Amino acid sequence: LFDIFRESPSVFFNYRQLSKKLKIKDSGGKKQVVVVLEELKKNNLLSEASLGKYHLSKKAASFTASVYKSSKDGAYLFFENLGKIFVPKEFSLFSAKGDLVECFVLKKKKNYFLGRVVSVLKRRKKTFVGVIDGSSTNNFLIPDDKTVPFDVFIPKERRATDYSGKKIVVEVVSWSEKHKNPVGKVVKVLGFSSSVRVELDSILYDHGIAGFFPEKVTAAANRFDDVVSKKEVAQRLDLRCVPTITIDPDDAKDFDDAISLRKVGGSAYEVGIHIADVSHYVGAGGVIDIEARKRATSIYLVDRVVPMLPETLSNNLCSLRPQVDRLAFSVIFTFSVDGVVLNYRIKKTVVHSDVRLTYKEAQNILDNKKGPFSKELLLLSSFSKKLKKERLKNGSLAFDGAEVKFDLNESLEPVDVYYKELLSTNSLVEEFMLLANKTVAEHVCFLKLRSLNFVYRVHDPP
């Protein structure tokens, strides 16, 4: 009896229709159908729409799952105990990829189950980017994201005069089943879709990436003093007199790491790997921290960077720029003249970068054996080659994939594409960063600090 309802979730049945489907003709059997219907209703598996008319309850044998794929045909779920479940569009409640839904199974097909969404518990996104369908007298937004299984209807009272040829951002205000489509309102007009800049803006909006910071976050970042205080210097290891350089790509705007080198003792050298001390400025639970958690990372597009932190921090206070004092967290290694690590220490520091070099500039200094800080660079290069040789000998994997770069014109259109040249200076920086990361992980793991909450950087097996 229950299977009949599950296979026809939108249909209402009375006891006569059900008896006929079950081929029950005697009055005793029909009375038993009525008893079972009441029992199913009592257990919230059926609902009685009107006297004697029953249909499948929304709470009937439901489970929670995420939509892992969606298309114009419907939504696809996966539930551990059942496997793949397909929900046709008419039973999906406009659910799309990434949504968390409550669902129940209608019936089994050959390689999957047929399901019905009874409620959407959490929608991954409520704003959509696209263009208006010009072929209709009504306004429907056609989303750029082709995995979205619906168009969004925009009522007359929510329209502007003309959206033809423009990319717009629409927020859904109603997901009601009474309508054939979600109902939305226009929240932003990005511009004409023929513009490359507008298309790039569309990508950001479609992925929920804000190209600007809330005023309270910007205000909090602007409150910091640009000059490192004497009080803070007194609480840190002062390395401002140690020769320090940053080596970064040509187009880098923020310099979050630097390397220093000086001779200590008779035949040893001290190499410092310095990382900008962001935690000094971004307090846990503050407005900057909350915004950074939402963003999770800086987003790099071909023509711009959408930073995780306001530019006051990312490009200034937390950037180890040349000729200014900056706060850092440092791992300082003592190397023998042969490039063997003898010991290390981890300190909060104050550093002063002497020069900012691009990878090409640093490479030219190494190749010609002359230029700013040539002695330091040549020795650092020698140490890094020794580190790499040992790392590969111990089983480390080398991923030397080519990175594609684009040259853009003023209209942001690509005019040239090429492979980024990997120089030995790329490897130089990489080896010291790897050494610092590995050392910090070992320091926390092996020195009785395992009770600390700690993020280890790990990767899937190749």
Side-chain angles (χ1 to χ4, degrees):
L1 186 72
F2 187 56
D3 283 344
I4 294 172
F5 285 96
R6 295 213 305 179
E7 290 176 15
S8 304
S10 301
V11 180
F12 295 84
F13 295 102
N14 59 34
Y15 83 95
R16 291 189 185 89
Q17 293 166 320
L18 293 165
S19 298
K20 188 175 180 181
K21 281 183 171 288
L22 295 170
K23 297 179 181 178
I24 296 172
K25 296 181 180 179
D26 62 289
S27 59
K30 290 178 181 179
K31 285 180 181 177
Q32 190 63 34
V33 169
V34 173
V35 171
V36 174
L37 285 170
E38 282 301 310
E39 196 66 28
L40 290 171
K41 175 187 169 185
K42 185 179 176 182
N43 287 299
N44 293 319
L45 297 175
L46 296 182
S47 295
E48 193 173 10
S50 59
L51 189 60
K53 286 191 173 183
Y54 299 85
H55 67 102
L56 196 66
S57 165
K58 287 189 175 183
K59 296 189 181 236
S62 64
F63 59 89
T64 301
S66 292
V67 178
Y68 73 85
K69 179 183 172 184
S70 57
S71 69
K72 295 296 181 183
D73 298 324
Y76 299 81
L77 318 176
F78 184 86
F79 190 64
E80 192 173 345
N81 296 332
L82 297 172
K84 291 182 181 178
I85 301 150
F86 171 64
V87 180
K89 186 178 179 181
E90 62 268 28
F91 298 151
S92 70
L93 298 186
F94 309 122
S95 55
K97 182 180 177 182
D99 290 349
L100 183 67
V101 301
E102 187 181 357
C103 175
F104 60 70
V105 171
L106 302 178
K107 59 182 175 181
K108 191 177 189 326
K109 292 287 190 178
K110 187 177 181 182
N111 297 317
Y112 63 93
F113 286 89
L114 198 65
R116 177 187 183 117
V117 172
V118 293
S119 69
V120 180
L121 304 175
K122 186 176 182 181
R123 295 195 183 270
R124 183 176 67 91
K125 59 191 295 187
K126 296 177 183 177
T127 57
F128 301 89
V129 179
V131 294
I132 294 293
D133 180 10
S135 64
S136 172
T137 53
N138 293 314
N139 271 4
F140 286 94
L141 178 87
I142 312 299
D144 285 351
D145 185 351
K146 300 309 174 190
T147 68
V148 176
F150 49 77
D151 300 331
V152 182
F153 174 64
I154 305 166
K156 288 183 179 179
E157 64 270 18
R158 294 200 175 104
R159 296 183 212 160
T161 51
D162 183 24
Y163 293 132
S164 59
K166 294 177 182 176
K167 279 286 177 76
I168 61 173
V169 183
V170 166
E171 180 185 351
V172 172
V173 294
S174 173
W175 302 91
S176 174
E177 299 172 65
K178 297 176 182 177
H179 305 293
K180 292 183 178 180
N181 298 75
V183 179
K185 65 176 181 180
V186 177
V187 293
K188 191 172 184 65
V189 179
L190 298 178
F192 287 100
S193 56
S194 56
S195 162
V196 177
R197 190 177 295 278
V198 169
E199 291 294 344
L200 287 164
D201 288 340
S202 299
I203 292 170
L204 290 173
Y205 271 98
D206 202 39
H207 286 79
I209 300 165
F212 57 90
F213 285 90
E215 283 186 23
K216 62 181 180 180
V217 176
T218 305
N222 289 337
R223 281 197 285 268
F224 294 112
D225 196 338
D226 193 39
V227 179
V228 176
S229 69
K230 291 181 180 178
K231 181 181 177 182
E232 189 60 36
V233 171
Q235 297 173 0
R236 293 170 176 258
L237 178 63
D238 191 347
L239 299 177
R240 290 177 294 177
C241 294
V242 180
T244 303
I245 57 176
T246 62
I247 307 175
D248 293 279
D250 299 14
D251 54 358
K253 290 188 174 73
D254 58 328
F255 316 120
D256 54 6
D257 55 70
I259 303 173
S260 66
L261 183 139
R262 67 176 170 183
K263 193 169 185 178
V264 289
S267 58
Y269 291 87
E270 198 172 72
V271 176
I273 293 103
H274 313 288
I275 310 296
D277 189 0
V278 180
S279 60
H280 176 80
Y281 298 98
V282 183
V287 291
I288 301 174
D289 180 42
I290 291 169
E291 181 66 22
R293 290 184 192 201
K294 289 178 185 175
R295 293 170 180 249
T297 182
S298 296
I299 307 293
Y300 293 84
L301 296 180
V302 71
D303 72 317
R304 73 189 83 171
V305 178
V306 182
M308 182 177 68
L309 298 171
E311 287 194 17
T312 303
L313 296 178
S314 60
N315 289 2
N316 186 14
L317 296 176
C318 298
S319 179
L320 306 183
R321 296 160 62 197
Q323 304 305 320
V324 289
D325 297 346
R326 286 292 178 257
L327 304 180
F329 231 118
S330 306
V331 189
I332 304 156
F333 296 92
T334 303
F335 278 79
S336 71
V337 71
D338 299 324
V340 176
V341 176
L342 302 175
N343 55 54
Y344 72 91
R345 51 190 173 140
I346 300 173
K347 295 285 185 180
K348 284 189 173 186
T349 59
V350 185
V351 299
H352 185 100
S353 174
D354 295 286
V355 65
R356 183 257 166 161
L357 299 173
T358 66
Y359 286 118
K360 287 182 180 177
E361 289 170 343
Q363 189 64 52
N364 286 335
I365 293 170
L366 286 177
D367 292 343
N368 297 319
K369 295 182 174 55
K370 64 180 182 180
F373 299 94
S374 58
K375 291 181 180 178
E376 287 82 0
L377 279 170
L378 286 163
L379 198 54
L380 287 169
S381 178
S382 171
F383 289 167
S384 71
K385 288 174 181 175
K386 174 85 173 178
L387 289 169
K388 186 171 185 177
K389 184 178 179 181
E390 285 298 311
R391 182 168 61 81
L392 295 176
K393 179 182 171 183
N394 291 332
S396 182
L397 297 169
F399 296 100
D400 294 327
E403 184 181 345
V404 175
K405 299 285 284 184
F406 293 89
D407 282 339
L408 308 178
N409 62 19
E410 290 182 358
S411 301
L412 301 182
E413 296 166 332
V415 292
D416 193 17
V417 57
Y418 55 92
Y419 286 117
K420 180 180 173 182
E421 185 183 4
L422 283 176
L423 306 170
S424 66
T425 46
N426 290 87
S427 180
L428 183 156
V429 174
E430 181 183 54
E431 289 306 321
F432 285 115
M433 292 304 127
L434 285 170
L435 177 63
N437 285 341
K438 186 182 77 169
T439 301
V440 169
E442 289 176 345
H443 180 82
V444 172
C445 183
F446 297 128
L447 295 187
K448 310 293 185 185
L449 299 173
R450 297 184 197 187
S451 61
L452 293 175
N453 292 323
F454 192 77
V455 178
Y456 290 96
R457 182 170 181 165
V458 294
H459 296 268
D460 288 337

